[in-house]
Amino acid sequence: MTEVLVLVEHTDGEVKKVTSELLTLARRLGEPSAVFIGSGFDAAKATLAQFGAAKVYVAEDAEISSYLVAPTAEVLAKIMKDSDTASSGGPAAVLIASGAEGKEIAARLALKTGSGVLTDATDVADEGGSVTAEQQVFGGSTVVRSTVTTGTPIITVRPNSVAAEAADGAAEKVDVSLELSDAAKGAKITDRVVEEKGERPELSEAAIVVSGGRGVGSGENFSVIEALADALGAAVGASRAATDAGWYPHQHQVGQTGKTVSPQLYVAAGISGAIQHRAGMQTSKTIVAINKDPEAPIFELVDFGVVGDLHQVVPALTEMVKARKG
Ligand SMILES: Cc1cc2nc3c(=O)[nH]c(=O)nc-3n(C[C@H](O)[C@H](O)[C@H](O)COP(=O)(O)OP(=O)(O)OC[C@H]3O[C@@H](n4cnc5c(N)ncnc54)[C@H](O)[C@@H]3O)c2cc1C
């Protein structure tokens, strides 16, 4: 079976959920081989095996982790060149999580290997031996299926696009060593600061997101949104109107110029549903909106809508969620 490379996202060996999702997708295309860069492989191995990684290419050299994304692209390019499948045209595909870093790695890798790149996929499939990626375009109003015609398909996939499904894999370790090029050492990491984000899940990985917009009314009022998010175990998002007003930090902005989320449940409170906001959340599996204007465009795409004042509806919802959870 043809190999499919999956770049592992992790923090010191703690594997991020999106990697299990990518391994699940990779199994549709061939035999998944994970690519683990950095320290902590021993901690990561069980999770990678649990989601079907047959092999894990491991580049643990501390030097690789000292620089930004360029070394990762070099490691991936080397694996593509050296792997067992190289003689038969290389891996069937390379899957990378769709974040700012992932997209940069994908672009660099595509350039190094003369391959085509597809970003922000929400699904992948093997159609008669050709790998296709599904993408939502024009603010999510149109779904397209694309395939690359040159080299190996390098595809970045949005987190939460698929439910991760376990499957046994051997996660056999294959050591990778690499002499980094001078070009890859251009941008060095000088310090790492752990983001203070409390107990809430990371926005682009969260299974549930509760977002507030201009209708929330003020920064202080965002406590209403946070309370519902905490009751649901959700991340907090915000519209650009809310972040531009300084009511919530910009890193929580969802939309075209913010983060793209694709959770199982997206709750939009006091958000009108502008096309630029939709672009970042339209692929959410279930969408709930609370808005006092029955004509608000957000109601065009919801699975469940509540016409009402969020300052009444959201606290009542929070109490109900807490009561259900006991
Ligand atoms: C190039 C470009 C990029 C952009 N990128 C983004 C982006 O990434 N993300 C983004 O979000 N926007 C983005 N925008 C801005 C976008 O066009 C909208 O202006 C923005 O999304 C509006 O935010 P909002 O829905 O919170 O505010 P509004 O459009 O003002 O809507 C507020 C809503 O709250 C409702 N409301 C008011 N009070 C209450 C209440 N008490 N209870 C219930 N409902 C209430 C109102 O009925 C209304 O529907 C971008 C714009 C441009 C031009």
Side-chain angles (χ1 to χ4, degrees), residues 213-215 238-241 253-258 270-274 276-277 290-293 296 308-311:
R214 203 193 306 270
S239 73
R240 179 157 157 184
Q253 183 184 315
V254 171
Q256 185 183 312
T257 44
I271 293 177
S272 60
Q276 296 90 352
H277 187 79
I290 301 145
N291 197 301
K292 67 180 185 185
D293 175 8
D309 185 338
L310 72 91
H311 298 292

Side-chain angles (χ1 to χ4, degrees), residues 48 50 55 73 87 93-94 104 162 167 176-178 182 192 203-204 218 225 249 253 258 265 272 280 287 289 303:
L48 300 177
Q50 188 192 346
K55 236 187 254 174
S87 56
V94 181
E104 186 175 341
V162 68
V176 179
S177 62
L178 177 74
D182 287 343
R192 289 175 201 267
L203 181 57
S204 44
S218 70
I225 304 295
Q253 183 184 315
L265 172 64
S272 60
I287 299 172
D303 298 281

Side-chain angles (χ1 to χ4, degrees), residues 141-209:
S141 61
T142 305
V143 176
V144 294
R145 270 196 294 283
S146 314
T147 185
V148 309
T149 52
T150 309
T152 301
I154 296 167
I155 303 172
T156 74
V157 181
R158 287 184 180 178
N160 286 313
S161 293
V162 68
E165 287 166 18
D168 284 346
E172 179 203 337
K173 186 180 180 195
V174 180
D175 286 311
V176 179
S177 62
L178 177 74
E179 187 73 33
L180 287 182
S181 71
D182 287 343
K185 297 180 187 172
K188 191 168 173 40
I189 297 170
T190 55
D191 194 12
R192 289 175 201 267
V193 180
V194 179
E195 187 189 356
E196 283 184 33
K197 60 180 177 68
E199 297 295 306
R200 294 192 191 107
E202 209 277 310
L203 181 57
S204 44
E205 286 236 317
I208 306 177
V209 174

Side-chain angles (χ1 to χ4, degrees), residues 94-98 102-103 106 117-121 154-158:
V94 181
L95 303 184
I96 300 174
S98 232
K103 287 185 208 173
V117 64
L118 295 166
T119 57
D120 282 332
I154 296 167
I155 303 172
T156 74
V157 181
R158 287 184 180 178

